[in-house]
Amino acid sequence: FRSTFDEGSVFCPEPERFSSAQMEEPEKGMGSWKLCRMIGPIGKDFPLERRRNLLRYTLIMCGVGIFLAALSVWGAFAGQVHGLSKLRWATFRRGDNADKETMYLGIRVLCRTASAGGDEGAHCEQIRDLKCELFHRADDCLTCGERSSKMIIPISIALISYVLLAKTTYERYMGKDSNCTKFRSLMPSLIGNTNFLIALISFWSTCVRMDLQAGDVKSSLGPGYILMMLATIIKFAAGAVHFFLPVHAFDPRICKEAELEEVSSDESLHE
């Protein structure tokens, strides 16, 4: 550590700056890939305390995103009317006020309720057993059922990758940074998240925007889908932070020691 700086009330050593020659030094495993070595130095340098604050906020963002995604996944896999109605991915309504039926769609089941009976007489059926003859265009209904069932693996991977993103964010926050760590942060947040966004848009275009609305059936997005879309946007924001933050390794214990020394010094002055 070559120098120190004053950031507010805390003194921290600046992180080690990797020179171009150092960035060319191969790491073990994924960090030795040329792509990782190219991505590592990309970004803008910040003083260490600002860098750690930025990563701290990114870690909070990941926590919020994981919470939103977990709620959405819970609703998507819900098998009963009570859970699915609150965190449904899509809603279908048919009929008038006197005789109206509401349908809640997840990725495993579709539940139906009558307008007058609430949950009375409500029943759920597996997507694969969906009665598409109730819709104006049965082919579009079948396509929606297939798309819904195919979302099981993507949303499961999306939630798991969110946890992995939080892990690599914490590693970078604690100074355990490397080309490999930065690349592992970008994989789920930018590359994998783009694929998942395409799957979400496909669900919307297949199950909501399509011509299921023909006849007396009206469709709309559910809160579960909206929560997952928000979580996806947050993940993109976290990925942008990682992309524009260059690789810098440091030892956080030295920062802590410097902070403790400063506190002791302040206390002695007050005495």
Side-chain angles (χ1 to χ4, degrees), residues 170-227:
Y170 181 74
E171 289 175 357
R172 300 194 74 188
Y173 169 73
M174 294 302 295
K176 300 176 182 178
D177 204 0
S178 66
N179 297 330
C180 179
T181 305
K182 180 173 181 177
F183 186 75
R184 286 190 291 113
S185 301
L186 299 179
M187 283 292 290
S189 59
L190 297 182
I191 302 174
N193 206 33
T194 299
N195 291 332
F196 182 64
L197 179 62
I198 294 172
L200 283 177
I201 294 174
S202 179
F203 177 89
W204 168 74
S205 63
T206 303
C207 292
V208 180
R209 187 174 178 270
M210 70 175 190
D211 199 13
L212 281 179
Q213 299 186 30
D216 62 347
V217 177
K218 303 298 180 183
S219 58
S220 60
L221 289 173
Y225 180 94
I226 295 173
L227 289 178

Side-chain angles (χ1 to χ4, degrees), residues 21-268:
Q22 287 175 312
M23 294 304 299
E24 291 298 323
E25 294 178 4
E27 297 178 9
K28 294 181 180 180
M30 189 183 297
S32 64
W33 297 357
K34 184 175 181 180
L35 178 61
C36 296
R37 298 200 307 272
M38 291 173 58
I39 292 176
I42 293 177
K44 175 179 173 57
D45 280 336
F46 290 99
L48 181 54
E49 193 63 24
R50 291 181 183 177
R51 173 188 176 87
R52 296 197 77 198
N53 284 336
L54 186 58
L55 287 169
R56 184 183 296 116
Y57 297 142
T58 305
L59 194 57
I60 294 173
M61 289 166 54
C62 288
V64 172
I66 290 172
F67 177 72
L68 297 179
L71 286 178
S72 178
V73 170
W74 181 78
F77 283 96
Q80 301 296 327
V81 175
H82 180 72
L84 188 58
S85 62
K86 292 178 172 56
L87 290 170
R88 60 195 178 275
W89 274 47
T91 307
F92 304 101
R93 292 183 174 86
R94 62 191 301 268
D96 52 26
N97 293 331
D99 182 22
K100 183 171 67 175
E101 182 182 29
T102 304
M103 294 165 275
Y104 306 116
L105 177 67
I107 61 172
R108 291 177 54 248
V109 301
L110 182 139
C111 297
R112 307 168 188 269
T113 62
S115 59
D119 286 350
E120 281 185 30
H123 67 281
C124 301
E125 56 185 308
Q126 295 291 324
I127 294 293
R128 60 176 178 270
D129 301 324
L130 198 59
K131 295 180 176 61
C132 285
E133 63 271 12
L134 297 176
F135 294 91
H136 183 72
R137 296 181 62 174
D139 290 343
D140 286 344
C141 172
L142 290 172
T143 303
C144 174
E146 292 176 359
R147 169 52 56 188
S148 298
S149 61
K150 289 180 179 179
M151 289 293 294
I152 294 176
I153 294 178
I155 70 169
S156 300
I157 294 176
L159 181 57
I160 294 172
S161 66
Y162 230 134
V163 176
L164 296 177
L165 174 61
K167 179 178 180 293
T168 55
T169 302
Y170 181 74
E171 289 175 357
R172 300 194 74 188
Y173 169 73
M174 294 302 295
K176 300 176 182 178
D177 204 0
S178 66
N179 297 330
C180 179
T181 305
K182 180 173 181 177
F183 186 75
R184 286 190 291 113
S185 301
L186 299 179
M187 283 292 290
S189 59
L190 297 182
I191 302 174
N193 206 33
T194 299
N195 291 332
F196 182 64
L197 179 62
I198 294 172
L200 283 177
I201 294 174
S202 179
F203 177 89
W204 168 74
S205 63
T206 303
C207 292
V208 180
R209 187 174 178 270
M210 70 175 190
D211 199 13
L212 281 179
Q213 299 186 30
D216 62 347
V217 177
K218 303 298 180 183
S219 58
S220 60
L221 289 173
Y225 180 94
I226 295 173
L227 289 178
M228 185 60 80
M229 183 61 76
L230 288 175
T232 302
I233 294 172
I234 292 173
K235 189 186 283 189
F236 273 123
V241 172
H242 280 289
F243 182 80
F244 291 109
L245 204 61
V247 172
H248 279 168
F250 60 89
D251 187 349
R253 292 175 299 179
I254 298 179
C255 288
K256 187 64 177 177
E257 291 169 0
E259 183 177 356
L260 291 174
E261 288 176 3
E262 183 189 359
V263 171
S264 301
S265 176
D266 290 341
E267 289 177 351
S268 62

